[in-house]
Amino acid sequence: MIGALMTSVLGDFFELQRGTTYKSALLGRPGPVLLGLGSIARNGGFKEGNLKTYGGPCDPRHLLTPGEIYVSLKDVTQSADLLGAVARVPSHIPLGRLTQDTVKLVFKDKNAPRTYLYWLLQTPQYREYCRAHSTGTTNLGLARDDFLNFEVPPLTSERQWIVDLVQNFEDKIELNRRMNETLEGMAQAIFRDWFVDFGPVRRKAAGVVDPVAIMGGLTTDPARAAQLASLFPAAFGNDGLPVGWIERPLDSIAEFLNGLALQKHPAKAGEPDLPVIKIAELRNGLSDRTNRAARSLPAKYIIRDGDFIFSWSGSLMAKVWTKGDGALNQHLFKVSSDSYPQWFYALWVHHHLPEFQLIAASKATTMGHIQRMHLTNAATVCPPDPAIVAMSGVMQPLWDRMIHNELENHTLAETRDYLLPRLMSGEVRVAPQVETA
């Protein structure tokens, strides 16, 4: 089919099926995942996160299975990031349901180049077309005819090469994401068993002697299990903690460096600058609307790959930064420690995050926040230093792999985004294959 397509429009390949409303009382009940605006990433792609299932009746026309594509023809933001943005149902969601805000692409021909069309609808040229054809002021819209009239260039060998490559990148990004979900779940489970529930200590105190059982089956190697079990005492002290362990404030095991009001440090024309990392960048990554600050900031306020960042205001969250150098804005903490490994203090921040979020939500302000005293009031349980070093033999490889996967995904996404504009322009030239004897 490569090279056989003449210049067409989207309407030659599919029709549109709009979704419908739903009853909020039936949210969370067993059923398909709702595919509303919240399931579409900015400028396109599926958005993982706070997805909800729906237990009400569903018209089969409104249901989607993995691989099917849907689009938003409306947006409530002036930036029009969601106007015309498309998403594809991922493999781990067996069934989805359209809402009143989303529209399914119903292909007319089962042999249509779906992957090509999907990536064509991710290109910057298509995104600009959507913005140029938007209607409305507060609530933006894209007319169905305008969407369907977007021109589709012929599928050449060069375009097929780009499609295959970016799809391979996307598959690897998804594999890394799923791997990180598993690794994070493992790290959280081990952390809770060791430092919150004191599982190995309780099992020892209950008389368990098999090292594998003491470690809760973490490893089936008896020698390795015995080595790990030796890190945990067999009794609790009068303070309710494992003997020899101490409780410390969260802000005593790490430094929480608050960012600067970077509007006071603007980048000057022609001088080196840095992207300003605010809450939005921590959540969504960098964009063309990210502000710039002077690179001449004190070095401690520069974020680098691998730094652990904690948003203490607004949408409280914590994550390892993997998007390149940036400037630390106010409302963010850069968390570091000379005494404890990153996995240890980072997992303690994650452990206290739900209570911090409740505190922030209770504030009578538009942008909820926590204060320094809340860090001091947050208790952490610390084993002796030699035990921490030995425990890192289990935890550090998990943590390092998660960071590696995030960094790899960032590189893959950058390369994908470099290639996508060339899918429309045809700038890439693929050398013909040379047959070898």
Side-chain angles (χ1 to χ4, degrees), residues 254-277:
E255 177 189 4
F256 289 76
L257 176 68
N258 195 15
L260 299 172
L262 288 173
Q263 67 269 24
K264 299 179 181 178
H265 301 267
K268 296 180 181 178
E271 292 185 356
D273 60 12
L274 287 168
V276 176
I277 311 305

Side-chain angles (χ1 to χ4, degrees), residues 185-219:
M186 291 172 59
Q188 294 281 3
I190 295 170
F191 175 83
R192 173 166 286 279
D193 185 49
W194 289 4
F195 301 109
V196 180
D197 299 332
F198 308 127
V201 181
R202 294 187 185 281
R203 290 186 279 272
K204 274 189 171 184
V208 177
V209 294
D210 177 18
V212 173
I214 289 171
M215 297 312 301
L218 176 63
T219 175

Side-chain angles (χ1 to χ4, degrees), residues 212-232:
V212 173
I214 289 171
M215 297 312 301
L218 176 63
T219 175
T220 57
D221 179 1
R224 179 60 171 151
Q227 181 186 33
L228 292 172
S230 68
L231 305 176
F232 298 86

Side-chain angles (χ1 to χ4, degrees), residues 274-290:
L274 287 168
V276 176
I277 311 305
K278 305 185 294 295
I279 294 172
E281 282 71 25
L282 191 61
R283 182 191 301 110
N284 301 317
L286 305 178
S287 74
D288 54 6
R289 293 187 298 281
T290 296

Side-chain angles (χ1 to χ4, degrees), residues 169 173 176 305 322-324 404-418:
F169 289 164
I173 288 171
N176 284 346
D305 284 339
T322 56
K323 310 296 184 185
H404 169 81
N405 288 345
E406 284 287 343
L407 288 169
E408 184 176 55
N409 277 2
H410 178 59
T411 300
L412 291 170
E414 280 192 328
T415 309
R416 176 200 64 199
D417 294 344
Y418 168 80

